[in-house]
Amino acid sequence: MGATPFLHPVGRAATPSGGTITDAAPSASWQGQVYTLAFTADPAQCPGVVDTLNLVCDHFYLNINLPGTFWQTHTGSVVITIQWTSNSNDFDLYIYRQSDGQQVGSSASGGTTSEQVALQSPMPGLYEVRTVPFLVVTSGYTGSALLAFTTGGPTPNPSFPSGNISFGAHTIVDPQRTEGEPLVHIDHAGNIWESGPWGFSTAQGFVARSTDSGDSFHIVSPNGLRPNPAASGGGDSDIITDDQGNAYFADLEGLLAVGVAVSNNQGNIWRENSLASTLPLDDRQWLAVDNGIDPNFNASDNTIFLTYRQIPGGSQVLSSPGSAGPTDLLGGLVYTNASTTTFVGAGAPCGRLTFDPVLRNLYLPCVQGNHVHVSKAHVKPGQRSGLTFSSTDTPASPGGSIGNLFASLTTDRAGNVYVAWADPTNNNVYLTVSTNTGTSWSTPLQVNGDPANTNVMPWAIAGTSGTVDIVFYGTDVRGDPNSFPSWINNRVAATSVKWFVYFVQVQAANTGAPTIYQVKASEHPTDYGQICTGGLGCTTSGGDRTLADFFSVGLDGNGAARIVLNDLTNQHHGAALFELRQVAGPSAYGITLTPPFPNIDTGVSDPSGDAQVPHYSPTGAGANQPALDLTSLQISQPDGSHLRATLKLQSLASLLPPLGSTGLLWLVRWQFLSTGDAGEESYRIFYLGANSTAGQTPVFFAGTGTSAAPGTGIPPGNGCVTTTPQNCKIIKYPSEILETGTTNSSTGTITITAPLSDLGSPFTGDTLFSVTALTFAYTNANPILTDGDAARAFDYVLGKTALPSNCPLGTACKVTGGGYIFVDPQQDKGSFSLEVRVDTTGRIHGKAAYRDPAGAVDFRTSLITSATFNGKTVSFKGTGTSNNIATSFTITVQDKAEPGAGKDTFAITLGTGYSKADKLQGGNIQVH
């Protein structure tokens, strides 16, 4: 085993050395031993049966004392956590089942002050909790285990066919701003609108719009110019349009009031009223539109309805005439009570207000105990006041509760009413239907099937009579979404729970024999771990509410589903905005869809003339910028070790930026399954780029961007602007590695070529998801870029590539070790620990850490992109952080003897210029 991998323990062994949890006593805790200096990289060095005196690692024995049939009648998990004071120290956590020695969980992040493992429905029995001091200086830790469960065993869910339904590549809605709870609206002309809040910390909410059927989106309300620019917004938002093309926006003004805005020219100019609600202390507002009955689309009979929950009174429903034009100071801006009573219905929270134009009823669904309370009023043509609301209740939810935020109500083209909700008792999604405007309801129908076993945030949209589409976030892991490991607290543990966007279509839902189709709409997971469903209470309790409270789906002119969602699987856990387009299978309007474009797997074309800067402004769209106007994007592999992006622009004759900007930026970005900055699974963002300042020759680069430091969020990393710790608000694309590129002004072509090792080392068969070309104008001092053009997204599957390691396929290679070298004549120590392995498929795993207090260096790896094994010498490279600042690194070690002190060698070189190398003065290196 080599030299003892720690020095001078202050205290040995966990105290107590073991504990028991039961359903009656569900928690246990212990105090771990304190280490003066320890560097154990490999848990295999210290199995409990060998390390009986806790000389190498710390061992706590947890007895999960439950009846053998407990998990047949209950659902839950055991969460095991270790915590310590400083993120300069690094403990790792491994859990072993003693009955068979199987490792059942692990968490080895690095850069955090905790590790956590959640064992879902673990077998009763004895478990070893092995705490490994990866690199620790003068620190102990505390440990805890908590059993959390709900009554009711896992009932097998049905399996539903796909109906040949499928979705295209994820289209980027906004490559920079992150928003929770995105809302989609499709207007009469087929334009797709999206809106979402940026959060109270920013006082902003945004609107994006696509005029090319969802191939690209552009920001309608740039930073600082949201549609209603009062200083306290950013809470909740909604967007609708009427049959005149007028746009109506509503935002929550810090719980104090509801603000509204109207645009009569597709979002260029907004007139606003920041005090549209009649009473203060308001929450979750919704808009609905009645376009009247005039077949000539007369504006005079349009009505805009606004609802919100006034705390503590209840829900109010107000109305305003539709806007009559840009000089109208009333329509859509001034609202008065539409009901005969001050408050409408009962229950909370209330889902989106829905107007049925077929039978002319207005519906408001509100959660009330074990059912949904629906308030309904019939609206006569042109009626804006004196609405008489009646109440109807859906049947009780089969699990006995309705929660996980909003219920969703929708109506079809025949006036049938549908309500969908999630039951937090069994985490299933249910649908009930009324064919008589709510007088009676069908027996609730479970619409989620395996593997969507735990589900949240359903949203429904109905089409032709009897057909309804429903989307929700779902995972195959059973349990309470609030009790899953939180990415904010432990990134590695969170990735044990993978959430996808699920799409369900129910046909003949208004009959006794419905047909259910279910597919994963998202190509890869869209979130990990905990989803806190406690609303604003999540913020005060430290829960992960990054998704906020919902996402949504709309129908285009063919009835194809258009889903706007958040993807949090990037390295920042930022709520990145994407749109999913249904491209095959039956639509909600009964049309059989076929892919609207060829399945191009290497590139796409893009129309010219659509790179206005800006796209929206009070003076209208700016001029088209030929140097930013994409006409095509091509991805290729010039050889097995490089990736090339070829962009064609309308013209590169001039690279001068538009007035007010300092430069131009061309970017090609994608995500692929890689490693995050704490060693967690991540669909990390990578990119190739070129930028030109003041018309000069472009500089070419590659990058990925680092996230905010785990735990504290300080520093915030170079890849995102944060407003609160680890809360990514603006994704950035810093130039990290200079690359080779060319510009050809005669053909309008830019090429950028980079080694795959600069792009996370993807290899044969890996998918680069949502490859997208983007162009921007920028101002040096502003992290927000001004969008120019965007090409349609596509997925690229890598062909034959060189492997990132010389370890032969089918063979596993590994190097482990820890110790210290002298870094100066005063014999100050540079301590290190490393564990790097290459699996049989050629993928590289592991991490390394190094600390030199005298040189003020605290380094840890983030991403290892290459590893070379030459006998007993191993060299590995990649990116990491030194003192929480991103840097490249190269580490080379030699295993010359056993034990290694005085003979093995360690060398490290950082991109910061720091470099040290020497023989080990303590510790050992082992090449396996």
Side-chain angles (χ1 to χ4, degrees), residues 63 295 351 493 553 605 665 689 720 867 893 897:
N63 180 18
V553 58
S605 60
L665 173 65
C720 210
V893 296

Side-chain angles (χ1 to χ4, degrees), residues 844-857:
I844 303 172
H845 309 271
K847 64 177 180 176
Y850 173 81
R851 294 179 67 185
D852 172 9
V857 172

Side-chain angles (χ1 to χ4, degrees), residues 589-678:
Y589 293 161
I591 298 172
T592 300
L593 302 171
T594 56
F597 32 74
N599 183 22
I600 303 299
D601 57 4
T602 59
V604 293
S605 60
D606 190 74
S608 60
D610 59 348
Q612 290 79 22
V613 175
H615 282 272
Y616 299 89
S617 78
T619 57
N624 186 64
Q625 303 294 317
L628 298 180
D629 189 1
L630 292 161
T631 59
S632 70
L633 165 66
Q634 194 83 12
I635 298 293
S636 60
Q637 296 172 243
D639 55 50
S641 300
H642 291 80
L643 190 73
R644 176 174 294 159
T646 302
L647 298 88
K648 290 201 171 182
L649 290 308
Q650 188 188 71
S651 173
L652 293 176
S654 172
L655 301 184
L656 288 174
L659 186 65
S661 301
T662 55
L664 305 179
L665 173 65
W666 301 267
L667 196 73
V668 180
R669 58 150 280 175
W670 60 88
Q671 291 175 249
F672 89 95
L673 180 56
S674 183
T675 305
D677 294 323

Side-chain angles (χ1 to χ4, degrees), residues 298-464:
N298 191 330
S300 63
D301 63 353
N302 288 356
T303 301
I304 310 301
F305 292 104
L306 168 68
T307 187
Y308 53 87
R309 179 160 184 80
Q310 194 278 328
I311 305 169
S315 295
Q316 293 190 287
V317 177
L318 312 182
S319 69
S320 176
S323 178
T327 61
D328 182 1
L329 302 180
L330 176 66
L333 293 171
V334 178
Y335 288 80
T336 58
N337 189 15
S339 173
T340 56
T341 59
T342 302
F343 299 108
V344 170
C350 297
R352 197 178 197 192
L353 188 68
T354 299
F355 178 74
D356 169 26
V358 178
L359 301 180
R360 299 198 55 81
N361 290 317
L362 188 65
Y363 298 96
L364 179 65
C366 302
V367 173
Q368 189 178 47
N370 64 356
H371 62 273
V372 178
H373 179 89
V374 179
S375 299
K376 178 190 72 173
H378 183 70
V379 183
K380 298 176 183 178
Q383 184 179 7
R384 301 187 180 109
S385 63
L387 298 182
T388 301
F389 281 86
S390 60
S391 296
T392 177
D393 292 336
T394 67
S397 183
S401 179
I402 291 184
N404 288 345
L405 306 170
F406 300 104
S408 180
L409 184 148
T410 182
T411 61
D412 67 21
R413 287 180 164 182
N416 298 310
V417 187
Y418 306 81
V419 178
W421 68 87
D423 189 317
T425 303
N426 56 27
N427 296 305
N428 289 323
V429 177
Y430 293 97
L431 175 72
T432 184
V433 186
S434 175
T435 58
N436 51 18
T437 68
T439 301
S440 61
W441 297 89
S442 66
T443 300
L445 173 70
Q446 180 182 330
V447 297
N448 64 289
D450 186 72
N453 295 324
T454 299
N455 308 283
V456 297
M457 303 184 190
W459 191 279
I461 185 77
T464 191

Side-chain angles (χ1 to χ4, degrees), residues 505-520:
Q505 184 175 97
V506 185
Q507 298 179 359
N510 55 344
T511 73
T515 298
I516 301 175
Y517 297 129
Q518 175 180 290
V519 296
K520 284 181 179 176

Side-chain angles (χ1 to χ4, degrees), residues 37 135 819-832 849-859 906-910 913-922:
L37 174 61
L135 184 55
Y820 62 90
I821 60 176
F822 290 148
V823 297
D824 55 33
Q826 291 75 37
Q827 297 189 350
D828 289 310
K829 295 183 178 72
S831 304
F832 71 92
Y850 173 81
R851 294 179 67 185
D852 172 9
V857 172
D858 185 355
F859 169 79
F906 174 87
I908 182 170
T909 299
L910 302 180
Y914 179 92
S915 182
K916 296 292 179 183
D918 200 1
K919 293 179 180 179
L920 269 61
Q921 302 302 316

Side-chain angles (χ1 to χ4, degrees), residues 77 114 137 158 181 223 298 350 357 469 499 582 604 749 781 869 897 904:
S77 62
S114 68
V137 179
E181 55 190 46
N223 186 30
N298 191 330
C350 297
D469 291 346
W499 296 90
Q582 183 188 358
V604 293
T749 303
F869 290 76
D904 291 353

